[in-house]
Amino acid sequence: MLSRLNLRLKFSVAVIMIIGITMLAVATLIIGYQRESLRQNTEASNLAMTRNLAHDAAESLLVFDPLRLDELVHTVRGVAPSAYAMIVDGDGRIAAHTKRSLLGSTLDRQGFGGLAGALADGRERIREYPYENEPVKEFSVPIRIGDKILGLATIGYSVRDIDR
């Protein structure tokens, strides 16, 4: 059937196919770039949310106002699609958590052992790990007043929600 077509029509079909394949390749590259850019923006936004939690929790942790700390973690949970939010004091005890049954327990006892290092060295930390059988990307920021580290603010975001 293709041999019956005249040369002009064959050339037009070939050009249209080349243009179509090129457009498909370019669209795939653009979508990949946009997806990666969106993922980076989401990560920056999640880190900023955690920094804001740390900033807002500093005074309440200094005077130990558990009601205000609880309000802060639940506000974060309502604003961001997070799996959990928590505030840890300088001794590694959970002072506020979206899961209230964890209040007063230590980081090591509840499977948050990796955060003890973040609390000790006073650096921001991002890690990905399974939490309650779901992959979570966790952002931790030290709570400071001056040079003194009062505790740690942590928010865990569902990786599935981030990807969605």
Side-chain angles (χ1 to χ4, degrees):
M1 175 174 172
L2 195 58
S3 60
R4 291 189 208 155
L5 300 176
N6 65 17
L7 187 60
R8 183 184 302 164
L9 190 56
K10 287 179 186 177
F11 183 72
S12 297
V13 168
V15 168
I16 288 172
M17 286 178 60
I18 289 172
I19 290 172
I21 291 170
T22 303
M23 288 177 62
L24 184 64
V26 168
T28 302
L29 289 173
I30 289 172
I31 288 170
Y33 174 76
Q34 286 178 331
R35 182 177 290 136
E36 183 58 32
S37 177
L38 183 59
R39 184 171 283 135
Q40 288 174 354
N41 287 342
T42 301
E43 188 167 307
S45 173
N46 292 346
L47 185 57
M49 177 72 79
T50 309
R51 286 178 181 151
N52 287 340
L53 176 62
H55 179 268
D56 293 345
E59 185 179 323
S60 299
L61 195 56
L62 182 64
V63 297
F64 196 70
D65 182 356
L67 293 176
R68 175 71 178 137
L69 294 172
D70 184 64
E71 179 183 329
L72 287 172
V73 295
H74 282 86
T75 299
V76 166
R77 183 76 189 268
V79 171
S82 61
Y84 62 87
M86 73 174 157
I87 297 171
V88 178
D89 68 13
D91 296 327
R93 279 200 182 81
I94 299 173
H97 198 291
T98 49
K99 194 175 187 180
R100 289 193 172 117
S101 63
L102 298 178
L103 294 176
S105 59
T106 60
L107 290 175
D108 293 331
R109 188 181 299 164
Q110 295 303 326
F112 296 107
L115 292 180
L119 182 60
D121 66 17
R123 287 194 214 154
E124 293 181 355
R125 211 169 263 182
I126 300 172
R127 69 179 182 144
E128 197 168 316
Y129 76 104
Y131 174 75
E132 296 182 348
N133 298 321
E134 185 174 328
V136 166
K137 193 157 197 174
E138 182 180 77
F139 296 80
S140 298
V141 175
I143 301 170
R144 300 176 187 265
I145 291 187
D147 291 337
K148 182 158 175 57
I149 297 173
L150 300 176
L152 193 66
T154 300
I155 303 176
Y157 295 91
S158 167
V159 172
R160 289 186 189 125
D161 288 344
I162 291 172
D163 287 344
R164 211 176 312 134

